[in-house]
Amino acid sequence: MAVIASKSPRIKVTVVDLSKAQIDAWNSSTLPIYEPGLTELVLSVRGKNLFFSTAVDDSIIEADIIFVSVNTPTKITGLGAGRAANIKNCELCARKIAEVSTSDKIVVEKSTVPVRTAESIKRVLVSASKFKFQVLSNPEFLAEGTAVNDLLYPSRVLIGGEQTEGGIAAINKLVSVYANWVPREQIITTNLWSSELSKLVANAFLAQRVSSINSITALCEETDADVDEISRAIGSDTRIGNKFLKASVGYGGSCFQKDILNLVYICESFGLKEVADYWHQVVLMNDYQKRRFSNKIVRAMFNTITGKKIAIFGFAFKKDTGDTRESSAAYVMKDLVDERANLSVYDPQVTREQMFMEFDYTLSVNEHTVPGLHGMIDNASSAMEAATGAHAIALMTEWDEFVSLDYHKIYELMSKPAFIFDGRNILPHEELRKIGFEVYAIGKPGPSKLIH
């Protein structure tokens, strides 16, 4: 919304939320989320044509176009639990819009939703109001960490709507908003269902790339091949390309896992078992990769980490964001806690409160299920503090600062032998080995094989 306000100064944009605390944060000097460039962007238009408010009803009445941008988490109970998306929040928004509207509206899905959610929203609107509503699908294709740039210079904008006179008119209305800064040839218009499904399929394809290269890392470690060399070799083939071929401990974030499981559920709902199984394997491979990394730590450290201190470098699911949802670090840390290790975590953007919220929400790990949890995990104010006295370092997030640390000094501060497990393949492994570290990386020969 900040980008729309910035690029369309004649359009008034109002972001509303029921949470006063959230709106107060958006109206403060410290925004509630971290994203490079976002603070500067918001401050440049806030109070001019971008406003944050809890006046939901008044803002709906005033609006011509309403964007529905609410969370659609995976259901945890009931039909489709663990796979289907919960669109309760979308329905609640539709009911509120129908309740208070005093004129015709264009309602735009921005949330990632199952196919035909727009049809459900339209039914609610039509049945609960005398006014006319056009429902459009306009999914985002941005990546956290580069979101502002992705919105300023999008590879494409996708808008889906009903192929009727009213639907096409609504599509053109939204096209005119994006045309303020996006070339018309990069604005793709489709029917509603194609637009909704395109978002799920896009994320499924990206996650598939990650799981594909990660599956090869296990083979690389057995055969002494180097996964980075393989990525470079296959990525130079223009038919394949080099995007999303960076091996790691596994993907995370709010979209990939949720959207693939949603796709799997949709396929199962239509009796497409083989298709569902195909896409579910992407998730299973990601889970396998995280378990494999945890097991590698335990095996390398003489098959026991009980009572040992392990420094965790990074908890966010990727660099340049404070988002912890489906973070690989959470899964790996759970495994290490199960082994009764003591963990010291440093992440420049993640708070202790965020970390334990993720443990509880995603993994049901809390003081009730794991007595003494808070005592086994502490939060350090720096990477150096986290590593002091540690037996090992597990690098979980590819923050740039981790590459430039003084590892000579860190080595002196650690217990010996000192281990490094690089879950992102960003560290200078040979230099670290010369210092004295025992280094393990993803998809690369381990120390024992290098000796031979």
Side-chain angles (χ1 to χ4, degrees):
M1 294 301 108
V3 170
I4 290 178
S6 173
K7 293 298 183 179
S8 312
R10 290 179 292 179
I11 296 177
K12 179 183 177 182
V13 179
T14 304
V15 179
V16 297
D17 198 288
L18 294 173
S19 169
K20 185 177 183 300
Q22 280 291 318
I23 292 301
D24 287 346
W26 282 106
N27 281 319
S28 72
S29 58
T30 305
L31 303 188
I33 64 172
Y34 171 75
E35 182 69 37
L38 180 60
T39 297
E40 296 81 358
L41 179 66
V42 169
L43 294 180
S44 71
V45 289
R46 193 175 65 190
K48 297 176 183 177
N49 67 324
L50 174 64
F51 303 90
F52 296 92
S53 173
T54 55
V56 177
D57 291 10
D58 292 343
S59 299
I60 290 174
I61 291 170
E62 183 182 8
D64 299 305
I65 302 175
I66 301 172
F67 291 88
V68 177
S69 306
V70 293
N71 192 22
T72 53
T74 302
K75 292 180 67 175
I76 58 175
T77 59
L79 186 64
R83 298 191 182 186
N86 189 337
I87 62 168
K88 177 190 72 173
N89 294 328
C90 292
E91 182 180 336
L92 290 174
C93 286
R95 293 188 183 281
K96 171 57 72 171
I97 292 168
E99 175 192 337
V100 304
S101 290
T102 57
S103 61
D104 299 346
K105 309 287 183 187
I106 297 173
V107 178
V108 184
E109 294 175 336
K110 291 299 285 184
S111 306
T112 303
V113 294
V115 180
R116 294 195 175 273
T117 298
E119 185 175 56
S120 301
I121 292 175
K122 184 72 176 282
R123 287 179 61 190
V124 170
L125 292 168
V126 169
S127 64
S129 175
K130 64 181 181 180
F131 298 102
K132 294 181 179 179
F133 298 92
Q134 287 295 331
V135 180
L136 304 180
S137 168
N138 177 217
E140 293 288 8
F141 294 100
L142 55 83
E144 291 185 60
T146 59
V148 172
N149 196 66
D150 292 344
L151 290 168
L152 289 172
Y153 309 101
S155 59
R156 80 284 200 200
V157 171
L158 179 60
I159 302 171
E162 292 182 334
Q163 301 303 294
T164 61
E165 183 178 351
I168 292 171
I171 290 172
N172 290 334
K173 184 84 169 180
L174 188 54
V175 166
S176 69
V177 174
Y178 284 105
N180 284 309
W181 77 97
V182 181
R184 182 60 184 85
E185 61 271 17
Q186 290 173 223
I187 303 175
I188 302 171
T189 59
T190 68
N191 68 39
L192 269 172
W193 328 127
S194 295
S195 178
E196 289 179 332
L197 186 55
S198 291
K199 173 63 174 178
L200 297 181
V201 173
N203 280 339
F205 268 63
L206 294 174
Q208 178 197 47
R209 298 266 292 190
V210 177
S211 281
S212 292
I213 195 63
N214 280 344
S215 71
I216 302 302
T217 62
L219 183 59
C220 286
E221 291 165 26
E222 294 297 327
T223 60
D224 295 350
D226 187 320
V227 73
D228 285 343
E229 293 178 351
I230 292 173
S231 294
R232 186 165 63 250
I234 65 174
S236 63
D237 187 328
T238 56
R239 296 170 300 173
I240 298 173
N242 59 9
K243 301 295 186 182
F244 282 78
L245 290 180
K246 180 65 175 176
S248 70
V249 66
Y251 63 74
S254 64
C255 293
F256 283 5
Q257 185 93 341
K258 174 172 71 73
D259 291 354
I260 295 176
L261 290 174
N262 192 3
L263 183 62
V264 169
Y265 179 72
I266 292 170
C267 292
E268 289 175 339
S269 298
F270 287 105
L272 304 173
K273 181 181 182 301
E274 290 79 6
V275 181
D277 290 347
Y278 175 84
W279 287 110
H280 192 217
Q281 188 61 40
V282 174
V283 175
L284 296 180
M285 181 56 63
N286 194 54
D287 293 340
Y288 165 74
Q289 185 76 340
K290 290 178 285 193
R291 287 195 309 273
R292 204 169 68 82
F293 190 76
S294 305
N295 292 339
K296 180 187 293 187
I297 293 174
V298 176
R299 285 198 302 269
M301 297 178 70
F302 317 113
N303 285 315
T304 178
I305 56 174
T306 301
K308 294 178 180 178
K309 178 180 177 180
I310 299 177
I312 306 295
F313 282 10
F315 191 85
F317 86 90
K318 62 185 287 191
K319 72 173 185 176
D320 293 333
T321 181
D323 195 343
T324 63
R325 289 173 291 182
E326 292 292 339
S327 166
S328 297
Y331 287 85
V332 171
M333 287 173 64
K334 177 186 180 300
D335 292 341
L336 302 183
V337 165
D338 287 344
E339 295 284 342
R340 316 312 288 177
N342 295 317
L343 309 179
S344 184
V345 186
Y346 168 69
D347 189 292
Q349 292 297 333
V350 176
T351 66
R352 183 174 177 84
E353 180 184 13
Q354 281 179 278
M355 186 175 70
F356 282 105
M357 283 178 61
E358 176 60 20
F359 279 134
D360 190 20
Y361 181 81
T362 300
L363 299 172
S364 297
V365 172
N366 50 52
E367 278 288 343
H368 178 71
T369 59
V370 183
L373 175 68
H374 287 254
M376 287 187 279
I377 302 174
D378 70 66
N379 290 80
S381 60
S382 68
M384 197 73 70
E385 179 186 333
T388 299
H391 294 78
I393 294 169
L395 192 149
M396 303 303 302
T397 311
E398 68 278 22
W399 287 104
D400 293 340
E401 67 177 88
F402 295 149
V403 179
S404 57
L405 293 172
D406 185 346
Y407 282 97
H408 284 90
K409 184 175 181 180
I410 287 176
Y411 181 76
E412 293 174 1
L413 295 171
M414 292 178 64
S415 297
K416 309 299 185 296
F419 296 85
I420 288 184
F421 300 91
D422 185 357
R424 298 291 175 175
N425 285 356
I426 63 170
L427 298 179
H429 301 146
E430 289 309 310
E431 293 179 25
L432 294 172
R433 290 187 175 109
K434 289 177 182 177
I435 293 171
F437 286 103
E438 192 164 315
V439 181
Y440 294 83
I442 300 287
K444 294 175 181 286
S448 60
K449 293 190 175 183
L450 289 171
I451 293 173
H452 300 302

